[in-house]
Amino acid sequence: MGSRQRTIGVSCILIAMIVALFAGTAVAEDTSAAAAVKAVVERGVIMAIVEGQEAALAAIGNPDGPFIDGDLYLFAGLLSEVIMVAHPFSSLLNQDLTDYQDPEGNYLFANFVVVASDAGAGWSEYWWPKPGEDDVSRKLTYIMKVAGQDLYIGCGYYPED
């Protein structure tokens, strides 16, 4: 990548981060956990812009990759369709998730597309089982659009009750 392309990429990243600072859909209660989630999403977006979508999706989909941080991990989906295209642990890859609902009736994957498309970045709330559990818990996920690509990247956490 040439220096002009890198400068454009860095400019796009800064714009995306500014948009993210002002995008406030749901409020994340645990500020340290929310900050960690936002930071890992921003790292994924930066990689997608600087190194390209293919490299970022490969890293996001790798269960031993650079975007696994304790209980936090990235996933990625398309903006043009409600399809998850990268996830290190999910069996929902490359499926139409338009009608997928959590037990409370939230169309979580469709909402991820709306958040990324409308606001550029923001929080989404839904119900999902914690790893190793069958019962669902409240989960907050931060979604960010990748500038210039048909892609969003997200990461979530379970807030303290």
Side-chain angles (χ1 to χ4, degrees):
M1 178 181 286
S3 64
R4 179 166 162 48
Q5 289 175 316
R6 189 171 308 265
T7 301
I8 292 170
V10 170
S11 297
C12 290
I13 292 165
L14 292 173
I15 291 168
M17 289 179 166
I18 290 167
V19 167
L21 287 173
F22 294 103
T25 51
V27 177
E29 290 88 15
D30 183 341
T31 57
S32 63
V37 165
K38 286 178 77 171
V40 74
V41 169
E42 289 167 355
R43 282 185 24 233
V45 168
I46 290 168
M47 181 180 195
I49 292 171
V50 174
E51 296 183 34
Q53 183 171 320
E54 187 175 323
L57 294 179
I60 290 168
N62 182 350
D64 297 316
F67 297 114
I68 308 295
D69 185 8
D71 292 336
L72 302 181
Y73 57 84
L74 291 183
F75 63 90
L78 298 179
L79 295 170
S80 60
E81 302 176 70
V82 185
I83 295 176
M84 185 173 13
V85 293
H87 193 296
F89 310 113
S90 182
S91 62
L92 297 174
L93 287 174
N94 302 312
Q95 298 177 38
D96 182 357
L97 300 170
T98 303
D99 295 325
Y100 192 99
Q101 296 178 48
D102 71 8
E104 299 291 319
N106 297 303
Y107 292 90
L108 57 145
F109 296 105
N111 189 53
F112 296 161
V113 172
V114 170
V115 168
S117 297
D118 290 354
W123 291 95
S124 181
E125 178 180 312
Y126 55 97
W127 296 83
W128 197 260
K130 291 180 180 178
E133 294 185 13
D134 293 326
D135 293 333
V136 294
S137 298
R138 182 169 165 256
K139 189 168 187 177
L140 295 174
T141 293
Y142 188 70
I143 303 297
M144 181 181 272
K145 177 181 178 178
V146 178
Q149 298 181 25
D150 180 32
L151 190 70
Y152 70 82
I153 295 175
C155 180
Y157 75 102
Y158 299 91
E160 298 291 322
D161 292 330

